[in-house]
């Protein structure tokens, strides 16, 4: 996770010589000790303005300042991870099962690896988008048409409205079959560009229907992200294409590696 201005407490601790204690301790803080000695001797009138004779200064036990080993809570940057699921009619059956399995793996992995440092948010869309609970995200059926940009707009509105960009790392994982009523990406491409401006990673799994593979055709989504130059933003944008049928855990793991990899 990238460092952000605002940090949040974790359950981790570190030990350092951060506390100070007068009279006794582990490591003498010479600078602070000298300040205390000078203050004491000024109060006692043992330091003359015209000359300074260290031999005439007294050093009391309480003048000695020590560094003491203490336990400090670790504060770290936090992340918001958006999950976006296409639940239009064309995603019914195999594509939905594959997508839900994949995103469930990501969700479970994040909870194990980062616990409270990651806040998951779940969005679904057909022609319109809405935020849902984790339980709803993984069980909702599929129906309706498809406007992928509706999901992007809802996420962008959330990020901007809640000021998430300044205080959080932002990641997004999306699943779609690539069909889109926005055939030229006129609505979608500008919204994707907004996401790429603030996100650390946008990972899209494209569950490509065998029809497109057999016809050697690109889906609508593939066409407009290529035409819009989105594929050139490999520092942030990753797309993994896979069959929506007979997907197993090993295939999902390979997909996640492709979406998350840094190279």
């Amino acid at each position: 996770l990238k460092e952000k201005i605002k940090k949040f407490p974790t359950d981790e601790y570190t030990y350092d010589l951060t506390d100070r204690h007068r009279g006794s301790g582990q490591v003498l803080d010479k600078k602070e000790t000298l300040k205390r000695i000078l203050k004491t001797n000024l109060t006692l009138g043992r330091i003359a303005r015209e000359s300074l004779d260290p031999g005439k200064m007294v050093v009391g036990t309480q003048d000695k300042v020590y560094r003491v080993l203490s336990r400090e809570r670790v504060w770290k940057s936090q992340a918001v991870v958006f999950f976006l699921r296409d639940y239009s009619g064309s995603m019914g059956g195999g594509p939905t099962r594959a997508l839900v399995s994949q995103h469930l793996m990501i969700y479970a992995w994040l909870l194990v690896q980062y616990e409270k440092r990651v806040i998951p948010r779940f969005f679904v869309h057909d022609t319109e988008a809405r935020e849902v609970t984790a339980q709803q995200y993984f069980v909702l059926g599929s129906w309706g048409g498809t406007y992928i940009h509706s999901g992007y707009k809802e996420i962008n509105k959330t990020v901007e409205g809640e000021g998430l960009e300044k205080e959080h790392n932002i990641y997004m994982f999306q699943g779609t079959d690539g069909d889109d009523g926005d055939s030229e990406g006129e609505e979608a491409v500008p919204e994707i560009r907004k996401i790429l401006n603030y996100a650390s990673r946008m990972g899209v799994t494209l569950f490509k229907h065998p029809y497109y593979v057999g016809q050697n055709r690109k889906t609508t989504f593939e066409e407009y992200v290529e035409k819009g130059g989105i594929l050139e933003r490999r520092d942030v944008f990753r797309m993994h294409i896979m069959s929506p049928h007979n997907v197993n855990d090993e295939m999902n793991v390979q997909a996640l590696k492709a979406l998350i990899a840094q190279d």
Side-chain angles (χ1 to χ4, degrees), residues 151-210:
Y152 298 150
K153 285 184 176 180
E154 197 65 25
I155 288 175
N156 282 328
K157 184 172 73 173
T158 300
V159 171
E160 294 166 8
E162 298 181 17
L164 297 178
E165 178 184 358
K166 295 180 180 179
E167 298 180 351
H168 298 79
N169 292 269
I170 298 177
Y171 298 83
M172 175 185 162
F173 294 100
Q174 174 190 356
T176 180
D177 61 1
D179 286 342
D180 195 355
D182 178 21
S183 59
E184 299 297 322
E186 293 178 356
E187 298 276 1
V189 171
E191 297 298 327
I192 295 175
R193 288 174 179 155
K194 287 182 184 179
I195 294 172
L196 299 184
N197 284 334
Y198 60 71
S200 297
R201 176 57 50 87
M202 178 180 177
V204 181
T205 305
L206 179 64
F207 296 96
K208 194 168 184 176
H209 194 280

Side-chain angles (χ1 to χ4, degrees), residues 24-226:
S24 63
Q26 292 154 326
V27 178
L28 183 67
D29 188 326
K30 296 180 180 179
K31 184 176 180 180
E32 290 300 319
T33 296
L34 180 57
K35 288 180 180 179
R36 294 295 309 178
I37 293 172
L38 290 172
K39 184 177 180 180
T40 297
N41 283 270
L42 282 169
T43 302
L44 296 174
R46 301 183 67 87
I47 298 178
R49 290 179 178 272
E50 62 276 3
S51 64
L52 176 63
D53 185 357
K56 294 182 179 181
M57 290 194 293
V58 296
V59 180
T61 302
Q62 293 303 307
D63 289 333
K64 294 181 179 180
V65 181
Y66 292 86
R67 290 279 186 171
V68 180
L69 192 67
S70 64
R71 190 173 82 154
E72 302 290 338
R73 185 184 291 272
V74 176
W75 290 61
K76 294 182 178 180
S77 298
Q78 205 170 37
V80 175
V81 178
F82 290 100
F83 291 91
L84 178 61
R85 173 187 158 194
D86 178 350
Y87 76 147
S88 61
S90 61
M91 285 288 290
T96 289
R97 287 193 296 272
L99 169 59
V100 166
S101 295
Q102 192 173 119
H103 281 190
L104 185 59
M105 290 180 70
I106 299 175
Y107 179 47
W109 175 72
L110 290 173
L111 290 179
V112 171
Q113 293 294 322
Y114 296 103
E115 299 183 26
K116 298 176 183 178
R117 291 183 63 198
V118 172
I119 302 171
R121 304 281 292 267
F122 300 92
F123 289 78
V124 295
H125 77 83
D126 45 21
T127 56
E128 297 181 351
R130 60 191 175 103
E131 185 169 8
V132 296
T133 65
Q135 181 178 5
Q136 290 173 321
Y137 187 84
F138 293 112
V139 301
L140 282 172
S142 301
W143 59 82
T146 309
Y147 280 130
I148 297 177
H149 67 262
S150 65
Y152 298 150
K153 285 184 176 180
E154 197 65 25
I155 288 175
N156 282 328
K157 184 172 73 173
T158 300
V159 171
E160 294 166 8
E162 298 181 17
L164 297 178
E165 178 184 358
K166 295 180 180 179
E167 298 180 351
H168 298 79
N169 292 269
I170 298 177
Y171 298 83
M172 175 185 162
F173 294 100
Q174 174 190 356
T176 180
D177 61 1
D179 286 342
D180 195 355
D182 178 21
S183 59
E184 299 297 322
E186 293 178 356
E187 298 276 1
V189 171
E191 297 298 327
I192 295 175
R193 288 174 179 155
K194 287 182 184 179
I195 294 172
L196 299 184
N197 284 334
Y198 60 71
S200 297
R201 176 57 50 87
M202 178 180 177
V204 181
T205 305
L206 179 64
F207 296 96
K208 194 168 184 176
H209 194 280
Y211 166 78
Y212 288 101
V213 178
Q215 296 290 323
N216 195 27
R217 288 179 52 192
K218 293 180 179 179
T219 63
T220 302
F221 181 82
E222 288 177 277
E223 289 178 345
Y224 64 62
V225 295
E226 181 177 350

Side-chain angles (χ1 to χ4, degrees), residues 234-246:
R234 235 189 110 66
D235 57 321
V236 180
F237 183 84
R238 299 295 172 85
M239 180 172 64
H240 182 71
I241 301 174
M242 61 190 301
S243 168
H245 304 295
N246 302 317

